[in-house]
Amino acid sequence: MNTLNKRQFCQKISLILLGASFSRNLFANTQLGNPRIVSIGGANTEIIHALGLHPYLVGIDTSSNYPHSITHLPNVGYARALSLEGVLSLRPTHVLSTDMAGPAHVLESIKKYKGIQLERMNTRSSFEGLIQHVQLLADLFGKGVSGHELIMRLQGEMKEVMRLHVATEFSSQSKVPRVLFMLSHQSSQVVAGGLNTAAHAMIEYAGGKNAMDQMRGYKALNKEAFIQSSPDILLMTSQSEKFLRGPRSLLRDPSMAQISAIKNNRIVVMDANQLLGFGPRLPLTIAQLRKSFFA
């Protein structure tokens, strides 16, 4: 090897070593002080924002639509149809997902990927589950003070909501309304929410009775089941409203006209993330639903 080649070889080796050292230092700084967070799940994203970690968000999923200030971030798509390449392209140090996210093989690949910490939240449709969710994320990112403050605020808000509900029960002669939760992504396919669903939990928190509590999970809803459930109120997401109130929808069927909820136009619409997400807006959401249910 001549002198020139030796010099070039040494320069290349030096650059490689320097680059590796820089990458290690950058990665260490990112892990400890400046995480790069991809948040999958609206509640994850809202809690991250409420904890003051939003500057470290580098990617979100389609359900993460609140607060509006984070919606400009790169979107990794639908939580149940994640792309490995899409997530990795954002160079995250942390990927936060729920137990509903998938496909499984993508999450397994992320979990094995060096330099990425995958956290899968075991979501629970309850206020207690929300508090645990906040605590877990606060602990994960060393935000103990912010986490404590958020939990205290949520507990205070929930206590006030429950106090007002008890006062309403004593002062109101209104019967408990039968509420039917309907979900659709096209007019020909409608499902209702039974037991063990986020929809059921929200209906009960708001003081209503789930009109479909004889079944479990989300099940297809046909005309006969709809009439038999005899709901006083229809509850739906704003994302489903255009299908459920469209010209070919079940609600337009003349045989449905005498159902109390349709006859009296008792239809409550709310954004899916707020209604079913069980994020930090939970006490506010319960209060809004109760006001609608007992108006």
Side-chain angles (χ1 to χ4, degrees):
M1 184 181 295
N2 60 39
T3 303
L4 181 59
N5 287 340
K6 284 182 179 180
R7 187 181 298 117
Q8 290 174 335
F9 176 77
C10 290
Q11 287 175 341
K12 287 181 179 180
I13 292 297
S14 297
L15 287 172
I16 291 171
L17 293 174
L18 179 62
S21 175
F22 176 77
S23 296
R24 284 196 299 271
N25 291 334
L26 177 62
F27 180 72
N29 291 335
T30 300
Q31 285 285 71
L32 295 175
N34 297 298
R36 294 178 59 83
I37 305 169
V38 170
S39 178
I40 300 163
N44 276 335
T45 305
E46 289 189 41
I47 294 170
I48 285 295
H49 190 276
L51 290 173
L53 289 162
H54 49 287
Y56 307 114
L57 276 171
V58 296
I60 55 175
D61 74 320
T62 53
S63 71
S64 299
N65 60 3
Y66 185 89
H68 182 73
S69 59
I70 55 87
T71 56
H72 69 283
L73 291 169
N75 197 304
V76 296
Y78 179 48
R80 298 194 187 194
L82 298 172
S83 160
L84 178 61
E85 293 76 14
V87 173
L88 295 182
S89 69
L90 299 176
R91 298 181 293 111
T93 60
H94 296 78
V95 175
L96 310 178
S97 77
T98 69
D99 49 8
M100 305 291 287
H105 72 272
V106 169
L107 292 173
E108 281 302 312
S109 296
I110 293 173
K111 186 177 181 180
K112 295 174 183 177
Y113 205 86
K114 186 178 180 180
I116 300 178
Q117 184 171 345
L118 173 67
E119 291 289 339
R120 298 193 70 179
M121 310 297 161
N122 184 16
T123 54
R124 291 172 52 201
S125 300
S126 68
F127 180 72
E128 294 74 19
L130 167 60
I131 297 302
Q132 290 177 6
H133 196 164
V134 171
Q135 190 66 63
L136 192 156
L137 291 179
D139 290 345
L140 178 63
F141 293 103
K143 301 289 284 188
V145 173
S146 298
H148 176 72
E149 291 175 349
L150 178 56
I151 287 172
M152 293 298 291
R153 175 171 69 81
L154 290 170
Q155 289 176 334
E157 290 175 353
M158 193 66 171
K159 185 177 181 179
E160 179 64 13
V161 168
M162 297 304 294
R163 185 188 69 79
L164 292 174
H165 178 59
V166 171
T168 301
E169 282 185 327
F170 278 108
S171 64
S172 175
Q173 300 300 315
S174 301
K175 69 171 186 175
V176 174
R178 293 176 57 82
V179 183
L180 172 61
F181 174 75
M182 302 173 66
L183 182 69
S184 177
H185 295 296
Q186 51 184 308
S187 57
S188 60
Q189 294 181 359
V190 181
V191 299
L195 298 173
N196 298 334
T197 63
H200 176 80
M202 287 304 300
I203 290 170
E204 291 210 323
Y205 270 127
K209 176 177 174 56
N210 188 352
M212 299 300 289
D213 61 3
Q214 73 282 2
M215 70 177 197
R216 293 182 180 275
Y218 293 100
K219 299 289 177 61
L221 180 68
N222 56 35
K223 186 188 304 185
E224 291 71 24
F226 193 173
I227 294 173
Q228 188 175 4
S229 69
S230 186
D232 301 304
I233 296 171
L234 298 180
L235 178 62
M236 63 183 71
T237 68
S238 55
Q239 289 83 349
S240 295
E241 183 181 20
K242 63 181 179 180
F243 300 112
L244 292 170
R245 300 182 97 166
R248 294 183 298 161
S249 74
L250 190 62
L251 302 186
R252 298 288 183 179
D253 191 308
S255 63
M256 303 291 170
Q258 292 308 306
I259 291 177
S260 176
I262 296 177
K263 182 170 63 176
N264 299 316
N265 195 31
R266 298 289 307 278
I267 300 176
V268 178
V269 180
M270 187 174 285
D271 172 76
N273 184 28
Q274 180 179 357
L275 179 62
L276 306 175
F278 280 78
R281 289 180 290 169
L282 179 59
L284 170 66
T285 302
I286 293 171
Q288 290 178 343
L289 285 178
R290 282 183 177 167
K291 186 175 180 180
S292 298
F293 287 2
F294 294 95

